Amino acid sequence: MKKDSIDMGEAERRITEYLKRFYDAVSSQDGKALSHLFSFSSLSLNTFPDLNRVITQSDEYADILLHLLRSLQSYRLRNLVESYQAFEKAANAFIQEFRNFESAWALEALYVIAFEIRMLADKADRDLAASGKTPEKLKGAGSFLMKVFGVLAGKGPKRVGALYVTCQLFKIYFKLGTVHLCRSVIRSIETARIFDFEEFPVRDKVTYMYYTGRLEVYNENFNAADQKLSYALAHCDARKEANIRMILRYLIPVKLSIGILPKTSLLERYSLNEYADIVVSLKRGDLRLLRNALQEHEDRFLRSGVYLVLEKLELQVYQRLLKKIYIIQKQKDPSKAHQIKLEVIVKAFKWLEIDMDIDEVECIMSILIYKNLVKGYFAHKSKVAVLSKQDPFPRLNGKPVSS
Amino acid sequence: MMNQGGMADGVAAFDPNSLEKHQGEDSIQPHASSYYYPPSSSGGSWSMHGPDIYTRDNGSYANANQNQDQLVDVTPRNAPDTQGATAVASGPSSVETAVAQDYNSYTSYTSADPYGYNNNAGYETYYNGYQQQPNQPYSQQSSQPYPQQSNQPYPQQSNQPQPYSQPVGAYQNTGAPYQPISSFQNTGSYAGPANYSSTYYNHGDYQTSGGYTTDTFSSQTNTWQGGQYATYTSQQYPNYASDATAGYSSTVGAAASQYQQHNKQWTDYYNQTQTENICAPGTENVYVPSTSTVSCPAASASSGYASSIQPSQFSLSSRPESSTSELTPQPVSASGDAYNAYWKHGAQAYQAQYSNFTQTSIDAKTSYQNSQYQQNSTSTQVLDAPYPALHQPPQSYQLPSQPASQHFPQLDVYRGSKLQIPTNPRIASNLALSLPKTNKESPATASVSKPAYISVALPKSNNKASSHDASDSALKIGMFPQSLRGYVERALARCRDDEMKMAASQAVMKEIITKGTADGTLFTKDWDTEPLFPLPTTDVMNEGSLFLTPTSSKSRSPSRRAKSRWEPVSEDKPINKPATPNSEAPKYSGWSKQYSVGKLENRNESGTSRFSLTTQKISIRDSQRPAKRRRNGTALGAVENGEASSDSDKEQDLTAYYSSAVALADSPDERKKRESRSKRFEKGHGNRSVKHHFKQKNEGNGNLYTRRATAMVLSKNLEENSSRAVEDIDWDSLTVRGTCQEIEKRYLRLTSAPDPATVRPEEVLEKSLLMVQNSEKNYLYKCDQLKSIRQDLTVQRIRNELTVKVYETHARLAIEVADLREYNQCQSQLQALYAEGIKGCHAEFAAYNLLCVILHSNNNRDLLSAMSSLSFRRLSPESRKDEVVKHALAVRAAVTSENYVLFFRLYKTAPDLNTCLMDLYVEKMRYAAVKCMSRSYRPTVPVTYIAEVLGFLTSTEANSEDLDGVDECVEWLKAHGGCLIEDNSGEIVLDAKASSLSLYVPEPEDAVPHGDAYLAVNDFFARKPV
């Protein structure tokens, strides 16, 4: 009994101190201090007295604090679902207050809330899924953040925070697989003329560019993807290797598909070895190596969504192979080098242990010509591919293979 | 029913304000409920063998002929009723005439029927304007023929009928929407009035005799319990009470309460009341005969009053329900079903038998209850509240049934009311009101006075109770025996106030029900008569406290009104009966009410007794002067209604309860408001409930089984969840279990809840699937069959390997005929089923899905997810080696690399269904290939090569076929703008360079503007509207 009462007294003291810090932060408009108070990781309130008794006195922010502390309480008790629900209430109450703030001093705290609610929802969903229920909290967090975005997206000083919330939304949408929901947010960010994109904080810009770049990869819009991911790479803090690696994981396939190969040292530095074989296969025209590499990392590529991009590199490998044949022929007999017989190509594939009959090879030649990876034409009667004498294998030079 | 629902809402609306005030009323409810319960022993017999009892009763009366007559009459009445239902306006008149004839033939009973008519007429007039009574054909006609008859046998009854008639009139007046209902009601009222009067009489006699009264009560209560929980019981109670008052003061009070209830209901909810009345009449008719026969004439006069008003209806209705629930009375239940159907559709007139009437009325009421329940259901508390309220009333009633212990019962009721009050506003208010009144009265006028008060309060309480009941019924609709429900409710009502008790009672109930289900007695047991298990604890203290508080604050208004209306009559009641009827009857249309009011005021203290007296007088008068009665009755009813409405509007809850007090006070505006209010809920809730009942009826006895089964589940649920929120109900347990044994069944999209009789159980579905699989018929037939199988599976929530098999079968068939819509439905279901871990041809359908995505989606993310579902991680190596899977993956690669040669090779070697899916992509692939060739080939490409590479040739060997294929290819190329020339050797070749500029995709011949040939909207446009 005695110990309990002491604990209760101690807990109450801590709560009171917490409340004091909260009000101090609000009154002094100290966003940083306030943000700490919303961060679950930095809070060490373990026992909780009767919250209603403690907090009802403080009327102004009672909604926020009551739910926040309840959320904390549930969090400590590992009841994540309830914790999330309480936190969302607290966050909603905070949004109401934030709306009324003249300046954007509390943005820091809002960031923390946006982050915490996402993490909390994620954890709660895991709990829900484990107990056989429908995980829906992350979705709920998404709609909450959408609301936050609405608060920030308007004119004024608070707009700076919009990109952070957008990025949190991206993370949720990518996790949920509801990527299509990103579109409205992106439109709002990119069409707003009143606010220069460059005025957003760098970290948000990098994150934003990373996610939008990924979206472009999905759409096989390689030029745009290249531009966005390159931007992200260029502005990413060089010390954040994990982030750079994440960017490169998408940027490399994009670059490959527009004909730009990375240095081996880059792959090694960021341990992106899954691309090493692919790069080699492109250099050598080794179709077998490419196919093996794809098969080996199929699952990873499928999950990250670059599988189809990498698969399309086959055409470039064909081109490389043809070019090699062409070069060899040229060395033998320059006058007939531009005429490549189908059977030669079939033979080359056989050496690669790839079984392709002459019709298939003819089809591939036709496609290569059609896609402008090979200049020339194919003569069906003689089964010969006639290459242009000028630049028979045009380089992509940063342009994707035409479809 | 719909109307009732609306009324309930209206009550609810009022309640909040008047909660406290209504506490007295609440107490009234308890009484009513108590009535139900006490009679459990005798009531059981009633409900079970309503018809039998009837006959017996008649015999006892010594009017064996009457009984027979009644029965005969019933059939005719039914027929008229049905007619009326079909054509509201025309129907009534014809029906009435027919009924009148029937009634004439009847001796004593016939008179009752006329009353019913008269009542209806009166109501109508009332609604229209109080004075307009004569306008309605119904009332006039019916009143003329019947009143006389009725007067002879049951003068008192005539008074009661009047209230009924008024509702009917209201319907007619209101107009089209209600008219059908009104017609129904009229029919119901025909039968009903007679019954009512008879029942009342009986009661009155019994009560007078002493031991008799209790018996009758118990029997009635039983029936009531079974049928209607809240509304029914309450109404019935009032009737009983009135009867009692006729005989004894206590019973009189009950009758008075009924009256008030009726009045209130009528006034407040035209529609609702009407519907209820309709139901009630039918039921009343059936049962009343028996009761009337038993009871003495004198008693009948007074009782007839009360009964005619509505109590009789209630009792009747309750009985039917009980019978249906019990399943014992096959004829009755069947008729009841028919009745329900009749109600809903107004089409069929099966109700030849009284039982039918009663049942129908019951059903209607139940449906009504359901509707109310739905309304209530929004708040779980409300639901809970209704139960307790109901329960409590029964308890209190039991006490009243015993003459000596009447006061005590009242006290109990009070307790119940108080307890209820906190939980459910509506109920609580009702209870409280009734209780206070009773308390005051009881001290002042002893037993007699108390009952009167109670009775007054009861009407309101009844309404509320009915709503509650409705809610209850909604929960369990047709799921388990009504009698059991009533039993549970009773049990729970006892401990409404006390959570501890509640929990304890629930536990006990749970045991009882599980035991019942275990030994199969759940549905055979007569729960109406089943004695309640002893309560864990007693609430003496609560009772006392309740007593004091409610009486002081809330009793006032009730007493006032009661006085005004009833006093004169009540004083007269024993003595006046004979004299008053004659003198008063003639003028009475408007007068009776006022008269009664005046007297009531005088006798505030002895309100209950007065009440009963007044009712008796009125009834007597009516009976004596049929024509006048009608008028009087209508007038009375109108007055009462008007009063009730005005009261409710003005004083809201309290006034509503004492509508009688404020005679003629009601304003048209208020009425309109109420009407609209009540209408709000009619369609939604009322219809639903009706549908439900209808279905059940249609199902007939066969359904009873399923009903039982569901009921058992439900009852279990209920017990377990009685304290829980509605959302917490385990819907799994409500799942339909089919009984249909047909292997073949046409698909029909459900527009309402599934009917177990038309749903096939799993074993049958298995056979059905086999049948379809082996069927030689075309796809349309198979698709139809499979869809119906799927529907049955879904409805029964069967999700197992059979389900997977069905969907797989259908998906394959759909692929075969390129029915992508069905295929997609099956595919998405299959994915969900596989995700649940149910075994099936997962890999195969993942392959189909991949093919589908490749061919029909340009979304790379979809493709990626489809591919990843076929990746190593998701699929076992064996299934990955599956030919279909391998093939699908190869096709995917060919498509993404645009390798047409590979694609058409795979096309030729594809497993059957893959071919079907690839078929859908062939055109696209060919066009892309030709385009590609025209760009890359120079100078020409031989058509034979194109035909070979692009899959025009079915085989590489047969020459004749090759030629056909080549011709086809030529046609195809021409159709797509290819430039074909003959080269030097005479071979047809494609001029690549020329073609590269001229290729185009022709419009598909079967293209539809909106892209879906299935919709074929053009057909509709082409047709000119006739």
Side-chain angles (χ1 to χ4, degrees):
Chain A
M1 269 314 277
K2 216 171 192 182
K3 198 185 168 206
D4 280 359
S5 64
I6 290 168
D7 281 355
M8 289 307 287
E10 170 67 10
E12 193 160 337
R13 193 189 61 73
R14 282 191 194 166
I15 292 277
T16 322
E17 187 200 324
Y18 177 88
L19 295 180
K20 184 175 173 296
R21 281 166 65 196
F22 185 88
Y23 282 102
D24 284 352
V26 172
S27 59
S28 62
Q29 300 207 338
D30 185 346
K32 192 117 189 153
L34 190 60
S35 69
H36 285 308
L37 296 174
F38 281 107
S39 168
F40 275 28
S41 51
S42 65
L43 288 176
S44 58
L45 296 168
N46 283 321
T47 48
F48 294 89
D50 184 2
L51 287 178
N52 279 320
R53 188 163 54 83
V54 182
I55 290 178
T56 42
Q57 309 148 358
S58 51
D59 40 346
E60 195 179 353
Y61 300 113
D63 269 1
I64 304 172
L65 290 168
L66 202 58
H67 292 302
L68 184 64
L69 290 173
R70 287 226 175 97
S71 173
L72 265 173
Q73 202 167 5
S74 304
Y75 188 76
R76 296 278 180 244
L77 297 170
R78 309 303 302 165
N79 191 340
L80 296 174
V81 178
E82 269 181 27
S83 179
Y84 169 80
Q85 281 162 346
F87 192 86
E88 194 184 296
K89 279 178 194 162
N92 267 315
F94 180 79
I95 289 297
Q96 289 303 320
E97 296 297 333
F98 183 82
R99 225 188 275 269
N100 299 327
F101 292 151
E102 289 288 324
S103 71
W105 67 268
L107 265 183
E108 199 83 18
L110 194 65
Y111 292 164
V112 172
I113 286 176
F115 176 78
E116 291 288 352
I117 199 170
R118 181 172 68 83
M119 302 306 284
L120 202 49
D122 195 27
K123 287 175 189 165
D125 270 1
R126 253 177 270 162
D127 271 16
L128 282 173
S131 60
K133 288 174 189 158
T134 334
E136 58 192 7
K137 298 303 175 200
L138 197 55
K139 211 173 156 193
S143 46
F144 168 76
L145 288 180
M146 224 26 213
K147 209 193 301 178
V148 178
F149 182 81
V151 173
L152 297 171
K155 261 185 186 175
K158 294 174 190 169
R159 187 174 171 84
V160 185
L163 204 58
Y164 181 85
V165 178
T166 305
C167 293
Q168 296 299 323
L169 275 172
F170 282 164
K171 287 174 187 179
I172 288 173
Y173 292 153
F174 271 83
K175 183 144 202 161
L176 290 174
T178 52
V179 172
H180 55 278
L181 294 175
C182 298
R183 209 180 304 155
S184 61
V185 194
I186 292 172
R187 197 184 304 131
S188 160
I189 291 287
E190 295 192 347
T191 58
R193 297 267 176 255
I194 45 170
F195 197 89
D196 189 357
F197 183 74
E198 289 303 324
E199 289 178 36
F200 286 118
V202 173
R203 65 158 185 194
D204 296 342
K205 283 189 289 185
V206 170
T207 314
Y208 177 84
M209 284 302 191
Y210 165 73
Y211 280 107
T212 49
R214 278 183 64 180
L215 285 175
E216 299 296 353
V217 174
Y218 282 139
N219 300 331
E220 301 197 355
N221 201 345
F222 295 125
N223 284 331
D226 177 32
Q227 181 235 319
K228 286 176 186 294
L229 290 169
S230 298
Y231 181 99
L233 184 65
H235 292 82
C236 187
D237 190 331
R239 290 164 296 180
K240 307 274 184 184
E241 295 210 357
N243 288 350
I244 291 175
R245 187 166 174 270
M246 280 170 68
I247 297 167
L248 285 176
R249 189 180 281 164
Y250 291 92
L251 186 57
I252 287 172
V254 170
K255 290 279 189 189
L256 288 177
S257 60
I258 58 174
I260 298 166
L261 305 188
K263 285 180 186 168
T264 323
S265 59
L266 179 79
L267 298 180
E268 282 167 0
R269 173 144 162 43
Y270 294 99
S271 61
L272 294 162
N273 298 318
E274 66 262 32
Y275 293 122
D277 279 353
I278 292 169
V279 173
V280 171
S281 73
L282 278 170
K283 283 179 184 166
R284 291 190 194 154
D286 189 342
L287 186 64
R288 181 181 51 183
L289 188 61
L290 176 69
R291 290 190 173 178
N292 287 343
L294 278 175
Q295 205 168 38
E296 190 184 336
H297 303 289
E298 184 190 38
D299 199 53
R300 177 185 299 185
F301 292 149
L302 280 175
R303 263 184 298 147
S304 62
V306 295
Y307 183 90
L308 295 176
V309 176
L310 296 173
E311 200 186 43
K312 291 224 160 94
L313 296 176
E314 256 188 26
L315 287 175
Q316 291 187 55
V317 176
Y318 289 136
Q319 184 199 38
R320 192 80 188 169
L321 185 65
L322 278 178
K323 193 172 182 180
K324 285 195 168 178
I325 296 170
Y326 172 76
I327 290 168
I328 292 168
Q329 282 187 348
K330 207 172 183 181
Q331 287 168 348
K332 270 189 184 173
D333 183 1
S335 62
K336 286 192 175 178
H338 63 285
Q339 292 187 358
I340 302 178
K341 290 182 178 171
L342 268 190
E343 51 199 54
V344 175
I345 306 170
V346 172
K347 205 181 281 176
F349 282 132
K350 245 180 207 141
W351 288 338
L352 287 171
E353 293 174 351
I354 284 172
D355 185 27
M356 269 196 213
D357 69 9
I358 202 161
D359 277 351
E360 273 183 77
V361 175
E362 185 176 335
C363 173
I364 287 166
M365 285 308 299
S366 166
I367 293 168
L368 286 172
I369 296 166
Y370 178 64
K371 301 254 181 195
N372 208 26
L373 285 167
V374 173
K375 270 189 174 175
Y377 65 88
F378 190 83
H380 178 73
K381 260 187 187 171
S382 48
K383 300 283 180 192
V384 170
V386 182
L387 306 183
S388 162
K389 286 183 180 167
Q390 275 190 342
D391 188 19
F393 303 102
R395 290 173 172 276
L396 287 171
N397 281 333
K399 275 177 267 169
V401 175
S402 61
S403 55
Chain B
M1 295 175 65
M2 292 166 65
N3 294 331
Q4 289 180 352
M7 290 181 68
D9 289 347
V11 174
F14 290 118
D15 291 345
N17 298 328
S18 64
L19 285 177
E20 294 178 357
K21 298 177 181 178
H22 290 297
Q23 287 178 352
E25 292 180 354
D26 290 339
S27 65
I28 293 172
Q29 285 184 348
H31 288 294
S33 62
S34 65
Y35 275 104
Y36 290 118
Y37 295 96
S40 62
S41 61
S42 61
S45 64
W46 270 81
S47 61
M48 298 293 290
H49 310 286
D52 295 344
I53 297 171
Y54 195 137
T55 56
R56 292 175 189 174
D57 292 343
N58 293 332
S60 66
Y61 257 89
N63 293 335
N65 295 332
Q66 289 181 353
N67 292 332
Q68 293 176 354
D69 292 343
Q70 289 178 349
L71 290 168
V72 177
D73 291 346
V74 174
T75 53
R77 290 177 188 174
N78 294 332
D81 291 350
T82 55
Q83 292 176 356
T86 53
V88 177
S90 63
S93 62
S94 64
V95 173
E96 287 178 353
T97 56
V99 174
Q101 293 174 357
D102 295 340
Y103 281 103
N104 295 330
S105 65
Y106 298 104
T107 58
S108 60
Y109 279 31
T110 53
S111 66
D113 291 339
Y115 282 116
Y117 279 107
N118 293 332
N119 291 332
N120 293 332
Y123 273 111
E124 292 176 357
T125 56
Y126 178 74
Y127 280 97
N128 293 333
Y130 295 179
Q131 302 170 349
Q132 293 178 352
Q133 299 171 355
N135 292 337
Q136 297 175 351
Y138 270 98
S139 61
Q140 293 176 354
Q141 293 177 356
S142 64
S143 63
Q144 294 171 355
Y146 288 43
Q148 296 174 355
Q149 295 176 358
S150 64
N151 292 333
Q152 295 171 355
Y154 304 106
Q156 294 175 353
Q157 289 179 356
S158 65
N159 291 331
Q160 293 177 351
Q162 291 176 352
Y164 278 104
S165 63
Q166 288 180 353
V168 175
Y171 268 113
Q172 292 177 351
N173 293 330
T174 52
Y178 291 90
Q179 285 178 354
I181 297 172
S182 65
S183 66
F184 259 116
Q185 291 179 351
N186 291 332
T187 58
S189 62
Y190 301 90
N195 294 329
Y196 285 49
S197 60
S198 64
T199 52
Y200 281 112
Y201 293 124
N202 293 333
H203 292 297
D205 295 341
Y206 279 117
Q207 292 177 353
T208 52
S209 60
Y212 280 109
T213 55
T214 54
D215 292 344
T216 53
F217 268 95
S218 64
S219 65
Q220 290 179 353
T221 53
N222 289 333
T223 56
W224 290 9
Q225 290 174 352
Q228 313 149 341
Y229 288 104
T231 48
Y232 291 116
T233 54
S234 63
Q235 292 178 355
Q236 293 175 353
Y237 283 120
N239 294 330
Y240 287 121
S242 63
D243 295 342
T245 52
Y248 294 119
S249 62
S250 65
T251 53
V252 173
S257 66
Q258 291 179 351
Y259 250 126
Q260 291 178 349
Q261 290 179 352
H262 293 301
N263 292 332
K264 293 176 182 177
Q265 290 179 351
W266 291 100
T267 55
D268 293 344
Y269 317 93
Y270 294 91
N271 301 327
Q272 294 178 353
T273 52
Q274 289 176 356
T275 56
E276 288 181 356
N277 291 331
I278 296 168
C279 294
T283 53
E284 288 176 354
N285 289 331
V286 178
Y287 288 88
V288 173
S290 62
T291 53
S292 64
T293 54
V294 175
S295 64
C296 298
S300 67
S302 61
S303 65
Y305 222 165
S307 64
S308 65
I309 292 170
Q310 281 180 352
S312 62
Q313 293 177 352
F314 278 109
S315 63
L316 289 169
S317 63
S318 65
R319 291 175 187 173
E321 285 186 355
S322 65
S323 65
T324 53
S325 64
E326 291 175 357
L327 298 171
T328 51
Q330 300 83 1
V332 175
S333 63
S335 63
D337 291 343
Y339 224 100
N340 294 333
Y342 172 64
W343 274 81
K344 297 168 183 177
H345 300 286
Q348 301 172 351
Y350 314 94
Q351 305 74 10
Q353 298 178 352
Y354 285 101
S355 62
N356 291 337
F357 269 107
T358 55
Q359 289 179 353
T360 54
S361 65
I362 294 168
D363 292 343
K365 289 182 178 180
T366 53
S367 63
Y368 169 56
Q369 290 177 352
N370 293 334
S371 65
Q372 289 180 348
Y373 177 72
Q374 292 173 348
Q375 297 172 355
N376 295 334
S377 65
T378 51
S379 66
T380 54
Q381 291 180 354
V382 175
L383 291 172
D384 293 338
Y387 280 112
L390 293 171
H391 294 300
Q392 290 178 354
Q395 294 176 355
S396 62
Y397 252 107
Q398 290 176 353
L399 294 169
S401 65
Q402 302 171 356
S405 62
Q406 285 179 352
H407 295 287
F408 288 100
Q410 291 177 354
L411 292 172
D412 292 345
V413 175
Y414 270 110
R415 298 175 191 170
S417 66
K418 284 186 176 180
L419 291 170
Q420 291 177 352
I421 293 172
T423 52
N424 207 358
R426 297 180 187 178
I427 298 171
S429 62
N430 293 330
L431 291 169
L433 288 169
S434 62
L435 288 169
K437 292 178 181 179
T438 54
N439 289 332
K440 288 181 178 179
E441 291 177 357
S442 63
T445 57
S447 63
V448 175
S449 65
K450 287 179 181 178
Y453 266 104
I454 296 171
S455 65
V456 175
L458 280 170
K460 293 181 179 180
S461 65
N462 286 338
N463 290 336
K464 292 182 178 181
S466 64
S467 64
H468 294 306
D469 292 348
S471 65
D472 292 341
S473 63
L475 278 174
K476 310 171 183 179
I477 296 174
M479 298 312 278
F480 70 83
Q482 302 255 2
S483 57
L484 177 54
R485 271 195 247 158
Y487 183 79
V488 174
E489 287 176 0
R490 272 176 278 149
L492 291 181
R494 293 189 301 182
C495 31
R496 220 290 132 73
D497 39 344
D498 191 328
E499 283 188 7
M500 296 287 289
K501 273 193 196 173
M502 187 75 134
S505 307
Q506 282 177 4
V508 177
M509 293 296 295
K510 205 172 180 178
E511 274 181 28
I512 291 174
I513 291 184
T514 45
K515 194 184 163 198
T517 48
D519 59 22
T521 58
L522 189 66
F523 290 89
T524 54
K525 208 168 195 169
D526 186 355
W527 290 103
D528 294 330
T529 56
E530 187 76 4
L532 287 174
F533 52 85
L535 260 187
T537 58
T538 56
D539 294 340
V540 180
M541 295 181 64
N542 291 334
E543 289 181 3
S545 64
L546 290 167
F547 221 176
L548 295 172
T549 51
T551 50
S552 62
S553 63
K554 298 168 184 177
S555 59
R556 283 191 211 159
S557 59
S559 64
R560 284 181 194 169
R561 293 182 182 177
K563 292 175 185 177
S564 63
R565 276 191 193 172
W566 303 102
E567 282 183 0
V569 180
S570 65
E571 288 179 357
D572 296 340
K573 76 170 171 182
I575 304 171
N576 287 343
K577 283 184 183 177
T580 49
N582 295 331
S583 63
E584 294 177 358
K587 301 174 182 178
Y588 255 107
S589 61
W591 277 102
S592 60
K593 287 184 179 178
Q594 295 176 352
Y595 200 72
S596 62
V597 172
K599 290 181 180 179
L600 283 171
E601 290 177 355
N602 295 330
R603 301 178 182 177
N604 284 336
E605 295 176 352
S606 62
T608 52
S609 63
R610 295 170 187 172
F611 219 79
S612 61
L613 289 170
T614 55
T615 54
Q616 291 177 355
K617 288 180 180 178
I618 295 169
S619 64
I620 294 168
R621 295 170 185 173
D622 291 341
S623 63
Q624 289 179 350
R625 305 171 186 176
K628 290 179 182 178
R629 275 186 195 167
R630 290 176 185 172
R631 291 182 184 178
N632 294 340
T634 54
L636 285 170
V639 175
E640 289 178 356
N641 293 334
E643 287 177 352
S645 63
S646 64
D647 288 350
S648 61
D649 290 338
K650 292 179 181 178
E651 302 179 6
Q652 294 181 349
D653 303 338
L654 291 174
T655 48
Y657 291 116
Y658 301 94
S659 57
S660 61
V662 188
L664 301 178
D666 67 324
S667 66
D669 289 350
E670 289 180 347
R671 269 194 226 155
K672 278 182 186 173
K673 281 180 196 166
R674 281 189 194 136
E675 215 165 16
S676 62
R677 248 180 275 143
S678 60
K679 279 179 187 175
R680 274 186 312 194
F681 302 97
E682 282 184 7
K683 288 188 178 176
H685 304 289
N687 283 339
R688 274 196 209 165
S689 57
V690 173
K691 273 185 188 171
H692 196 86
H693 284 278
F694 185 51
K695 277 192 173 181
Q696 291 186 345
K697 293 173 184 176
N698 288 338
E699 294 170 13
N701 289 336
N703 281 343
L704 289 176
Y705 283 81
T706 55
R707 266 179 162 182
R708 281 188 189 174
T710 43
M712 286 170 62
V713 185
L714 253 184
S715 64
K716 281 185 188 171
N717 248 0
L718 243 185
E719 289 198 303
E720 292 171 1
N721 301 343
S722 57
S723 59
R724 279 197 225 160
V726 181
E727 309 100 59
D728 290 341
I729 289 178
D730 179 13
W731 295 109
D732 286 1
S733 61
L734 305 182
T735 307
V736 174
R737 287 281 166 264
T739 59
C740 178
Q741 297 298 314
E742 299 284 323
I743 288 175
E744 220 176 345
K745 179 183 154 189
R746 290 225 55 171
Y747 172 72
L748 183 68
R749 183 165 182 158
L750 284 178
T751 54
S752 56
D755 176 357
T758 61
V759 173
R760 293 163 292 184
E762 195 174 338
E763 319 85 67
V764 180
L765 289 174
E766 231 161 290
K767 287 181 202 155
S768 303
L769 177 62
L770 266 179
M771 184 273 291
V772 173
Q773 280 170 334
N774 299 326
S775 169
E776 298 292 325
K777 295 186 181 168
N778 63 15
Y779 172 73
L780 287 179
Y781 169 80
K782 290 180 180 175
C783 177
D784 186 67
Q785 290 298 314
L786 285 167
K787 277 169 87 79
S788 78
I789 294 174
R790 280 161 51 186
Q791 184 187 61
D792 285 354
L793 288 169
T794 307
V795 157
Q796 300 176 83
R797 296 171 54 122
I798 297 172
R799 287 176 83 81
N800 53 23
E801 288 177 29
L802 174 65
T803 319
V804 169
K805 253 186 227 164
V806 169
Y807 278 105
E808 284 176 353
T809 306
H810 198 175
R812 290 194 188 106
L813 283 172
I815 292 172
E816 260 175 40
V817 298
D819 185 353
L820 279 180
R821 297 195 323 165
E822 288 302 328
Y823 165 76
N824 284 331
Q825 283 182 27
C826 294
Q827 179 69 255
S828 59
Q829 278 296 320
L830 281 172
Q831 282 181 350
L833 288 164
Y834 293 143
E836 288 175 18
I838 302 168
K839 283 181 187 170
C841 308
H842 188 173
E844 180 188 339
F845 281 90
Y848 295 150
N849 184 45
L850 176 59
L851 283 175
C852 237
V853 171
I854 299 166
L855 307 179
H856 301 289
S857 165
N858 15 1
N859 186 333
N860 277 323
R861 280 187 56 81
D862 288 349
L863 183 50
L864 281 168
S865 68
M867 285 179 66
S868 62
S869 72
L870 280 175
S871 68
F872 279 117
R873 223 180 58 169
R874 305 283 175 88
L875 284 189
S876 61
E878 302 85 61
S879 60
R880 204 175 156 92
K881 280 177 199 156
D882 185 283
E883 201 196 336
V884 178
V885 175
K886 264 160 72 179
H887 183 267
L889 286 168
V891 171
R892 201 279 313 163
V895 170
T896 48
S897 64
E898 297 170 61
N899 190 328
Y900 50 87
V901 170
L902 204 55
F903 178 88
F904 284 103
R905 254 182 215 163
L906 290 166
Y907 179 58
K908 275 180 191 162
T909 62
D912 288 346
L913 295 177
N914 282 13
T915 312
C916 296
L917 284 171
M918 289 173 77
D919 271 335
L920 304 169
Y921 199 71
V922 161
E923 167 75 14
K924 257 191 204 171
M925 202 68 195
R926 278 177 180 162
Y927 181 76
V930 170
K931 205 173 161 192
C932 175
M933 281 191 243
S934 67
R935 284 267 189 86
S936 54
Y937 282 74
R938 290 293 182 273
T940 58
V941 192
V943 171
T944 48
Y945 173 76
I946 297 174
E948 187 201 329
V949 168
L950 297 190
F952 284 101
L953 310 182
T954 47
S955 79
T956 50
E957 300 166 8
N959 293 326
S960 61
E961 276 187 51
D962 274 8
L963 283 178
D964 288 347
V966 171
D967 286 348
E968 195 188 333
C969 181
V970 168
E971 289 304 312
W972 188 91
L973 286 170
K974 280 179 183 168
H976 289 74
C979 294
L980 298 178
I981 53 171
E982 283 191 29
D983 71 353
N984 300 334
S985 62
E987 192 184 4
I988 302 171
V989 294
L990 179 75
D991 185 340
K993 193 168 187 180
S995 297
S996 67
L997 301 173
S998 63
L999 283 177
Y1000 65 93
V1001 178
E1003 283 287 318
E1005 287 168 16
D1006 56 347
V1008 181
H1010 46 81
D1012 189 346
Y1014 281 98
L1015 295 176
V1017 171
N1018 278 335
D1019 291 349
F1020 290 97
F1021 290 148
R1023 277 183 229 140
K1024 280 191 176 178
V1026 180

